[in-house]
Each structure stands twice: as structure tokens, then as C-alpha cells.
Amino acid sequence: MAHDSLYAAPPSGADTERGAGRLAGLRGALGTWDAAIVAVLLVAVLLASLSVQNFATGRNVQFLLLDLVPLALLALPMTLIVVTGEIDLSVASTVGLSSTLMGQLWLSSGLSLELICVLVVLVGAVLGAVNGVFVTGFGLPSLAVTIGTLALYRGLSFVVLGDQAVADFPAGWTAAAVRAVPGTSIPAVVVPVLLLALAFGVVLHATPVGRALYAMGNNDEAATFAGVSVARTKFWLFVVSGAVGGLAGIFWTLRYASARGDNATGLELTVVTAVLLGGVSIFGGRGGLLGVVAGVLLLGVLRNALQLADVDANALTIVTGTLLIVSVVLPNAVADVRARLHRRRRRAQPSVS
């Protein structure tokens, strides 16, 4: 009957508990760092669209996304490395060395560009393996090792090409690097980058490997006792980081149609900023890929809007450095406040005799 619902039985205790649980889960999701970064990103996009001339144009969106491709590529393996409590500061130099190697091979080897690209990715993997050997084989701090290889790889990039630049790459390849998806302003290269991000996200959040990475970031020794091959896993993370750096070097070269030793100089600071801004703890064991993707986009939006507003390049560096400090300090401060509030609530709860 139509009026039966007026006399329906009230919700049972189980239903009430399930509803409370769903509400608590929703509050928990909305209260995460990932949600906060996504919210800040949306606000930044809205403000930039309303206040910065030409920001919301299709042409600018295309350039913005093209600028973000190398940053996004490098941030993916960096996320996994930082989750384990390590870091790779040589990523930008790997991009530069990969770019000059690509230029030199194209200039003098007579090889096809397809084969050159494969070789460049393999060399990038070797560069990452060098970092992995020193970190996992010799037990050296990744910070010290990758600062050293940052300088080494950048120096080698100038050895390969010197001060010259190679710019005579096939027009079809350079055009493909910046081509948009038909009917949109979205560069076609964004599609494989998103697929790669999805693959990294699945590995980190939905596989035993991802759980092992978080375990290593929290406690290497405990992870070892739990059966995780810590050294081998970290070694392969550095290899993957190097290979992706080679891939980013190929894109950088084709996008700007220029192989130079100074390509991507200083990009490592922006990559680390994006990862930490995305909520990954510099101490390891905490963070997720969604927040990192949002952090990459937020950095790109801020830098692009400031450039369109004719802000000095030095100010852009200041903004990046400030965000790096904020991304280190703020998440840890928030976590500390939450821990204190949780302890206070537990003490305030009446004990059950």
C-alpha cells in the first residue's frame, strides 16, 4: 500500500552502525592530504582562469600539459622510491644525458631513430642501476649517491655533445611529440603518460609489491624479517627511475627539437617538490599516487599562471622552494596534531572495568 512506508520499522542497530561507518569513511577520505591537494588544485585553476589573461585558452592548456609531461614521468618512479625512504636526485641529469646521447647517435651513428630511442631507454636504465648498486650494494645513503651522480651525469652530457646542440630531427617525430588529440587541446602524449601513471598506481596500491614498499619505508629491518627482499626491490626501483628518465629525455628532445647538455637542468627540485607536495613523506612509509598527480598539476598551474602574469623567473624558483618547504613541514605538522588529538580522545574515554 502507498502508506506502508509511514509505518516502516525504524532502522536496526546494524543498519545504524553501517551508516555511521560509511559516514566515518567519507569523512576520513575527505580529510586526507590527497583530498586537500585536489581541492587546492581546483581553487588554483579557478582563480587562474578568472584572473590571468589567456590561462584558460586551449592553446595555453596544451602548452601547460606538454610542460608537465617530463615532470609527471619522473615523479612516478620517484614516488615509489621516496615511499621506501630513499631519494633520486639524479633524474634531471639522466634526462640531460639521455638527450645528448640521442642527439649524438642521430648525428653520427646512422641508426634509425626507433633503435636510438630503445638504446636511450636502456642507457637510462643502466644509469639508474649505477645508483642502485651504490645504494643497495655498498649501503651508501641515496641522498649522497644521487647528488654525486647528478653532477656526474650532467658533466657527461657535456662530454657527449660539448656546447653544441643537435636540432635536425625528423619533422614527423617532433610534430608527433606535440600533436593534440583530434578535436581537443590535450596533447596525445598525455594518454600514455596517464596509462603509465595508472600502472604505477596499481603497483603501489593494489599489489604485494606496493605493500612491501610501504613496509620498507616504515622499517627496513622489519620488512626484511617479513620476507621482503629490500635491497633487490630498491635496486630495481632505481633502474626503473633511470629508464623513465631516458624516456623523459626522448620526449624533451623531440618536444623542443633540440638535444643539449643543459636540457632539464634544475628539474630534480621540481620533481621532489611535486612528490612531497602530493603527500609522500620524505621519511618514507606514507603517501599515494593520486596526491602526487595533483601535486604535479598544481605546480604546473602555479608556474604557468605566474609566467603568463609576467612574474620574474627568480620568483618562480622562490615559489618552488617555498612549496618544497611547505610540503615537508605541513604534512608532518598535521600528522603530529592528529596524533595528539587521538591520544587526548583515548585518555578522555572512560575506562571499562
Side-chain angles (χ1 to χ4, degrees):
M1 295 175 60
H3 299 287
D4 284 350
S5 60
L6 295 176
Y7 303 99
S12 66
D15 291 337
T16 304
E17 289 179 5
R18 282 195 293 270
R22 285 193 290 268
L23 181 59
L26 178 61
R27 289 174 178 172
L30 294 177
T32 63
W33 185 262
D34 288 2
I37 290 298
V38 170
V40 173
L41 169 63
L42 295 176
V43 171
V45 170
L46 178 62
L47 292 178
S49 300
L50 294 175
S51 60
V52 180
Q53 188 176 9
N54 296 323
F55 176 83
T57 62
R59 183 173 179 82
N60 183 62
V61 170
Q62 184 175 0
F63 282 122
L64 168 60
L65 293 176
L66 286 171
D67 287 343
L68 287 180
V69 167
L71 176 59
L73 284 173
L74 298 176
L76 295 177
M78 182 73 81
T79 299
L80 273 60
I81 289 174
V82 177
V83 162
T84 67
E86 306 291 350
I87 198 167
D88 184 359
L89 296 178
S90 68
V91 289
S93 297
T94 299
V95 173
L97 182 51
S98 299
S99 176
T100 56
L101 179 62
M102 181 179 176
Q104 185 61 257
L105 289 174
W106 175 249
L107 187 67
S108 59
S109 70
L111 298 174
S112 67
L113 202 51
E114 291 88 349
L115 181 56
I116 288 173
C117 289
V118 173
L119 291 175
V120 167
V121 173
L122 291 176
V123 170
V126 171
L127 299 178
V130 171
N131 288 333
V133 166
F134 279 105
V135 173
T136 64
F138 295 98
L140 299 176
S142 57
L143 178 64
V145 169
T146 57
I147 285 176
T149 52
L150 177 156
L152 173 63
Y153 297 164
R154 183 63 67 181
L156 288 175
S157 67
F158 285 101
V159 170
V160 171
L161 273 185
D163 292 331
Q164 67 176 320
V166 177
D168 62 338
F169 296 100
W173 284 69
T174 55
V178 299
R179 184 176 295 127
V181 175
T184 73
S185 299
I186 301 174
V189 71
V190 169
V191 176
V193 172
L194 288 176
L195 293 176
L196 193 61
L198 179 62
F200 273 84
V202 170
V203 169
L204 182 60
H205 297 293
T207 68
V209 173
R211 291 191 289 273
L213 298 182
Y214 285 109
M216 284 186 277
N218 285 306
N219 191 313
D220 268 355
E221 189 174 347
T224 300
F225 283 123
V228 176
S229 180
V230 173
R232 184 173 63 184
T233 303
K234 288 185 177 181
F235 170 81
W236 284 110
L237 287 180
F238 281 105
V239 172
V240 171
S241 180
V244 174
L247 195 62
I250 293 170
F251 172 77
W252 191 290
T253 304
L254 294 176
R255 189 264 167 107
Y256 295 104
S258 178
R260 296 172 51 92
D262 60 353
N263 280 350
T265 297
L267 187 62
E268 61 279 330
L269 174 64
T270 310
V271 174
V272 173
T273 303
V275 172
L276 299 185
L277 188 62
V280 180
S281 173
I282 190 65
F283 304 109
R286 190 174 74 238
L289 211 60
L290 175 61
V292 171
V293 172
V296 168
L297 292 171
L298 178 59
L299 274 178
V301 167
L302 291 176
R303 292 178 68 87
N304 180 265
L306 292 173
Q307 287 171 342
L308 289 177
D310 292 326
V311 174
D312 185 76
N314 292 324
L316 298 179
T317 305
I318 293 172
V319 169
T320 302
T322 302
L323 287 174
L324 179 57
I325 294 173
V326 169
S327 61
V328 172
V329 173
L330 191 56
N332 290 285
V334 171
D336 184 58
V337 169
R338 284 182 172 178
R340 291 183 180 181
L341 291 175
H342 180 67
R343 288 195 296 268
R344 287 181 182 177
R345 290 195 197 100
R346 292 193 64 180
R347 286 198 296 265
Q349 290 176 352
S351 59
V352 180
S353 57

